[in-house]
Amino acid sequence: MKHFSLILALLVAPVAAVAQDENVVAGLSQNTVAITANFSGSEILIFGAVERQAPAPEDSILGVIITVEGPDRGLTVRRMDRRYGIWMNTEAVEIDSAPTFYAVATNAPLEDILSDVEDDALDITINRAIHAYYIDSDRPQDFIDAVIRIRENEDLYQTLEGAVQVRSDTLFDTSIRLPSNLVEGDYTARIFLTRDRQIVADFETEIEVAKVGLERIIYNLAHERPLIYGLLSLFIAIAAGWGASAVFRYIRS
Amino acid sequence: MQIYLPIAEVSVNAFLLLGLGGLVGILSGMFGVGGGFLMTPLLFFIGIPPAVAVATEANQIVASSFSGVLAHFKRKTVDLKMGFVLLIGGLTGAALGVQIFNLLKAQGQVDLLVRLCYVIFLGIIGGLMFIESLNAIRKSRNATTTVPKRKSRGWIHALPFKIRFRTSGLYLSVIPPLLVGLAVGVLSAIMGVGGGFIMVPAMIYLLGMPTKVVVGTSLFQIIFVTAFATLLHATTNFTVDMVLAVLLLVGGVVGAQIGARIGVYLKAEQLRILLALMVLLVCGKLAFDLLVQPSELFSIGAGGGH
């Protein structure tokens, strides 16, 4: 029994000591993103500092990982193949949830500052943020890779290794660009500090992305009063059609 | 100028949309087609989600068709009686088509079927019209003295329930126009278009209506079928994007007015051969896409019911 508690103390002590040594405080340039009629994307500045009770350890490098994640949605991913001479969808798989937006920025290559175990536990890299508990396919990873590839092309998924600037081992900042094709909802920003590829501190905050003004009114009307919305759309269409005709008649006469 | 579309949830250039609307509007006014078969694929191409593109396009067609039909009303080239008969068939067909569409959707492969529909119908109609109008032009050039042959009175004229369509100068059973309306209604619901490009040739070749009347009557009928489709989409799928529709229709209605006036100066054969060429062009592009390996084999769709 004595031996056991000694071993336990030895195991826990260094971890606890490290965990309490460093802490993270951070802020964002904005906590809300308003999607207006001329919204063409937004840039969020994320900055913070490492809080220490003691001097920074010199035997290991500080890792700073910042993630910004959009609301999760289920997906159907389809693969095309050639059948009877034409290209058609032949295989479809369901992915339980994938973030509609995901950016991960770091101050160093990810494998140097983050262990697979930690990544697995906290879903830090894009690959881990996509959840598919069961994919009915011979090559499931192809489908997940396809989602990442397609969304990376649309700037919806970003892996920005080296994009976090760290000054004097204490201050850090980065900026994350949100593209124009954003989905509304609560976005989460997370900041992780690592030492020896282990997470020693973390911080989490929300970013609210919402349509405002006319965009909001139209969206709400379309979903809450669909019949009125549909009739209004038709009215606008017919009025515009009549208006153009009247204007042209006036011009000609 | 970038503008964010509230329902489509993407940001696009407003002038691009105005331009597209105008271009398709001109064609719509000239040929009496809603232009959906051109616009819907174009909207896919600039990144509008397919469901939103199809629904919003229906709304835009209402506007450009309305604008176009007014010009035709003024010239008295709308056969209202024929229009109403076609419309009865058309609305029934559209309701049926939506049911078929949902059935196909449940089995997957709806994309492929829509594309195949496009290729087959555009190919057949474009090809037939092209050959026919080419012959007509050649005939009018070579043999100016030939007496026009009397139209053969086939099985269509043996059907009961005959009505006199005075504007078209026809004495015809209501059954063929009802069936034409029904068939076009089904196809337009499945393909997400007004159906003018099927309706126009069907009226000319099946019903034997004069080309000048066909355009206005087709537009008249299309207004109601697409208005019905817009309401269905708006209330069941919430996919009509008002901002997108307004931008497209501002360009579209102006284009339709210009197009209707250009149409007056063109001969019927010329009008038909141009429409045939355009239909064949779109058909060729769609067929090409089906036959050539796409650069991205994977596609992402909305999740199934979880």
Side-chain angles (χ1 to χ4, degrees):
Chain A
M1 199 61 208
K2 205 176 176 184
H3 283 289
F4 179 75
S5 52
L6 188 67
I7 292 165
L8 193 73
L10 282 171
L11 277 175
V12 171
V15 178
V18 171
Q20 281 162 4
D21 262 0
E22 295 186 311
N23 217 334
V24 57
V25 285
L28 308 179
S29 58
Q30 57 192 102
N31 275 90
T32 57
V33 174
I35 299 181
T36 54
N38 55 3
F39 181 71
S40 59
S42 182
E43 191 144 308
I44 289 196
L45 188 67
I46 300 171
F47 49 88
V50 182
E51 213 176 40
R52 291 192 186 89
Q53 307 301 331
E58 279 170 15
D59 53 340
S60 64
I61 59 156
L62 173 73
V64 180
I65 304 170
I66 297 173
T67 70
V68 175
E69 183 177 4
D72 286 326
R73 297 269 169 92
L75 294 179
T76 305
V77 184
R78 296 191 176 86
R79 191 170 62 85
M80 289 182 127
D81 220 331
R82 197 178 198 138
R83 294 279 161 85
Y84 316 109
I86 55 176
W87 287 89
M88 58 168 88
N89 290 327
T90 50
E91 208 178 345
V93 304
E94 299 284 328
I95 287 182
D96 298 278
S97 86
T100 46
F101 175 84
Y102 200 89
V104 47
T106 65
N107 66 329
L110 267 164
E111 62 264 33
D112 295 350
I113 54 173
L114 184 70
S115 72
D116 283 347
V117 179
E118 295 274 40
D119 188 11
D120 206 25
L122 289 156
D123 299 335
I124 291 170
T125 55
I126 292 172
N127 206 8
R128 294 274 158 67
I130 295 173
H131 296 288
Y133 302 109
Y134 175 69
I135 291 184
D136 186 15
S137 169
D138 301 335
R139 296 160 73 186
Q141 192 58 40
D142 283 4
F143 287 89
I144 292 176
D145 289 346
V147 172
I148 296 172
R149 185 172 62 242
I150 291 168
R151 295 212 159 152
E152 273 178 350
N153 285 338
E154 295 173 353
D155 279 342
L156 287 170
Y157 287 177
Q158 305 167 10
T159 300
L160 309 157
E161 288 181 329
V164 177
Q165 272 96 46
V166 180
R167 289 183 188 80
S168 328
D169 243 14
T170 309
L171 297 173
F172 61 87
D173 71 275
T174 192
S175 71
I176 306 266
R177 201 184 137 66
L178 304 174
S180 63
N181 50 340
L182 276 190
V183 168
E184 267 193 307
D186 291 330
Y187 285 55
T188 313
R190 296 182 296 174
I191 298 165
F192 300 101
L193 296 187
T194 66
R195 290 273 178 194
D196 294 325
R197 304 174 76 216
Q198 303 300 309
I199 290 165
V200 293
D202 65 347
F203 175 84
E204 189 173 316
T205 184
E206 298 263 296
I207 305 165
E208 193 195 344
V209 175
K211 298 184 180 89
V212 295
L214 187 64
E215 307 287 301
R216 176 88 263 154
I217 294 166
I218 292 175
Y219 185 87
N220 284 352
L221 187 66
H223 283 83
E224 286 158 19
R225 301 258 187 286
L227 186 64
I228 291 172
Y229 178 82
L231 290 172
L232 187 64
S233 301
L234 286 180
F235 174 77
I236 291 172
I238 287 171
W242 179 81
S245 173
V247 166
F248 268 74
R249 209 162 40 215
Y250 179 76
I251 290 170
R252 275 173 68 89
S253 61
Chain B
M1 189 183 76
Q2 292 287 310
I3 192 152
Y4 185 88
L5 305 171
I7 306 293
E9 303 192 313
V10 289
S11 174
V12 285
N13 191 306
F15 295 115
L16 178 70
L17 292 177
L18 285 172
L20 282 181
L23 195 74
V24 174
I26 289 177
L27 300 172
S28 149
M30 275 170 76
F31 304 124
V33 294
F37 74 99
L38 281 172
M39 187 58 102
T40 311
L42 282 174
L43 290 179
F44 294 171
F45 186 71
I46 62 168
I48 309 290
V52 178
V54 167
T56 307
E57 187 43 30
N59 192 27
Q60 192 248 325
I61 294 170
V62 174
S64 60
S65 303
F66 191 80
S67 170
V69 89
L70 287 176
H72 283 281
F73 265 125
K74 246 189 125 235
R75 297 209 306 269
K76 299 192 167 53
T77 48
V78 182
D79 187 337
L80 275 181
K81 209 180 210 177
M82 180 63 90
F84 276 116
V85 174
L86 288 167
L87 185 57
I88 294 167
L91 291 181
T92 319
L96 208 70
V98 170
Q99 298 300 316
I100 295 172
F101 186 83
N102 289 339
L103 206 77
L104 293 175
K105 208 170 170 181
Q107 295 173 350
Q109 299 299 352
V110 75
D111 270 9
L112 177 73
L113 271 152
V114 169
R115 275 167 186 275
L116 282 177
C117 261
Y118 266 104
V119 171
I120 292 166
F121 281 96
L122 294 177
I124 292 172
I125 289 162
L128 284 177
M129 281 180 72
F130 186 73
I131 294 166
E132 196 274 342
S133 39
L134 213 62
N135 283 339
I137 288 174
R138 203 176 293 152
K139 221 180 275 171
S140 67
R141 275 201 195 136
N142 295 345
T144 41
T145 49
T146 45
V147 182
K149 262 187 276 176
R150 191 173 173 79
K151 271 175 197 157
S152 57
R153 295 189 162 258
W155 58 273
I156 278 180
H157 295 271
L159 293 168
F161 310 114
K162 285 198 169 184
I163 294 183
R164 189 167 297 281
F165 297 101
R166 283 174 64 199
T167 321
S168 305
L170 287 175
Y171 182 58
L172 193 70
S173 160
V174 290
I175 295 173
L178 273 180
L179 288 180
V180 167
L182 188 80
V184 173
V186 170
L187 284 172
S188 68
I190 292 175
M191 295 165 69
V193 292
F197 71 99
I198 304 170
M199 182 65 92
V200 168
M203 288 159 113
I204 297 172
Y205 301 118
L206 285 178
L207 305 179
M209 287 168 66
T211 309
K212 286 281 168 192
V213 184
V214 159
V215 174
T217 311
S218 162
L219 284 174
F220 172 78
Q221 195 269 158
I222 285 168
I223 292 170
F224 292 94
V225 174
T226 48
F228 183 59
T230 305
L231 278 184
L232 275 182
H233 283 301
T235 50
T236 56
N237 304 323
F238 316 113
T239 44
V240 178
D241 194 309
M242 210 183 264
V243 175
L244 177 61
V246 166
L247 285 170
L248 290 176
L249 64 82
V250 165
V253 290
V254 174
Q257 290 294 319
I258 296 168
R261 283 180 173 83
I262 296 173
V264 181
Y265 300 108
L266 287 173
K267 282 185 189 155
E269 296 86 26
Q270 291 172 330
L271 214 61
R272 288 213 296 266
I273 207 162
L274 282 176
L275 178 59
L277 281 175
M278 208 170 63
V279 166
L280 284 176
L281 203 73
V282 176
C283 169
K285 166 80 176 93
L286 287 168
F288 182 78
D289 288 346
L290 282 176
L291 295 173
V292 175
Q293 178 167 4
S295 59
E296 176 63 71
L297 291 179
F298 292 85
S299 61
I300 300 177
H306 268 287

